[in-house]
Amino acid sequence: MRISPIGVDKLKYYDWFYSEDHNLWYYYKKRKNDSFNSAELDDTLDSKIKDIVKHLNNNGYETLPSCEGHNRTKNFIDKAWKNLLNDRKKIRSVGLWLCNCENNNKYFLMDPNWEIPFDYSEFSKICSGEKEVVGYIGFYCGDEKVFGLLEGLFSGNSYVSVRFDGNVIEIFNKSKNDVIRGKNWSLVSKVLKDVIK
């Protein structure tokens, strides 16, 4: 079980878990198979992409683990760090129950040698967006026409890009500015509602 940051384009290869005590930071482990469980729980969806994910799901498209992209405040960072320290203490002593955010399956993590893979300074840089902020939505769609429309509609947008592997369409929102990123998610929502009905 890991908690190190990974690129958003790799989210789909892992199962995602949150602590029984909080959901400020996610744990992850490699999926056992290549099938994805798109039954994401509404309460774990980021607010700026919730409408998009629901629209896709309601129109028959299975979504992959997704993230709106974040710039966290110092208050959030301090609270999340304190929670991670408490998690570490539990993991090393009595164990910690984790909940899969896609299907509610439980995972018990106990390891007397478990460590947080970064210090507070590095964690702060990750959470604040100092390093990188990229939002991501992926969904199953083998229709190259849908990809072509999305790619064309976003071709002039310097922040939003679309990628297609023949089976999955991935939308990336690469603004470090929270307001611009939010406006881009609103645009993505509008475009997807026009393209996918």
Side-chain angles (χ1 to χ4, degrees):
M1 188 67 66
R2 301 178 345 192
I3 63 170
S4 302
I6 61 171
V8 292
D9 59 328
K10 295 178 179 53
L11 292 176
K12 62 189 173 189
Y13 300 118
Y14 297 92
D15 285 320
W16 293 89
F17 299 82
Y18 56 90
S19 164
E20 64 184 345
D21 300 328
H22 65 91
N23 67 352
L24 298 179
W25 194 260
Y26 286 82
Y27 296 77
Y28 63 94
K29 66 181 187 131
K30 266 231 188 271
R31 290 186 188 274
K32 290 186 178 178
N33 57 48
D34 289 338
S35 66
F36 302 106
N37 181 343
S38 63
E40 291 193 72
L41 305 173
D42 285 347
D43 59 348
T44 65
L45 285 170
D46 292 335
S47 62
K48 291 177 184 165
I49 61 171
K50 185 179 278 197
D51 186 51
I52 298 167
V53 170
K54 284 184 172 186
H55 175 75
L56 290 166
N57 292 159
N58 290 340
N59 283 279
Y61 293 92
E62 294 182 354
T63 51
L64 306 174
S66 301
C67 176
E68 73 183 37
H70 302 280
N71 302 79
R72 300 298 195 180
T73 64
K74 179 159 179 12
N75 184 46
F76 174 94
I77 293 165
D78 291 345
K79 186 175 180 182
W81 183 251
K82 182 179 177 184
N83 284 328
L84 285 175
L85 293 174
N86 289 334
D87 286 358
R88 179 179 67 184
K89 185 177 180 182
K90 275 185 154 180
I91 292 166
R92 289 174 157 189
S93 59
V94 298
L96 178 68
W97 280 103
L98 302 171
C99 182
N100 185 310
C101 70
E102 293 179 75
N103 57 28
N104 260 344
N105 289 342
K106 305 290 185 202
Y107 181 88
F108 187 70
L109 178 57
M110 185 171 181
D111 178 351
N113 300 311
W114 192 84
E115 284 294 336
I116 299 172
F118 34 70
D119 62 18
Y120 176 82
S121 175
E122 180 72 9
F123 182 70
S124 180
K125 289 176 184 174
I126 294 163
C127 292
S128 68
E130 183 178 319
K131 291 183 164 252
E132 180 180 52
V133 178
V134 180
Y136 170 86
I137 292 178
F139 62 99
Y140 284 110
C141 179
D143 188 342
E144 196 165 341
K145 289 179 184 175
V146 171
F147 165 69
L149 281 169
L150 293 174
E151 184 181 45
L153 290 167
F154 291 115
S155 65
N157 188 308
S158 59
Y159 298 112
V160 178
S161 62
V162 184
R163 191 162 65 191
F164 181 58
D165 69 2
N167 189 35
V168 173
I169 292 177
E170 298 175 297
I171 301 171
F172 299 88
N173 186 348
K174 301 177 183 175
S175 172
K176 281 190 170 191
N177 181 292
D178 192 49
V179 173
I180 293 172
R181 199 169 51 258
K183 287 179 180 177
N184 281 321
W185 283 131
S186 293
L187 175 62
V188 168
S189 179
K190 181 183 180 323
V191 168
L192 282 173
K193 286 176 181 174
D194 288 341
V195 172
I196 295 174
K197 297 179 182 185

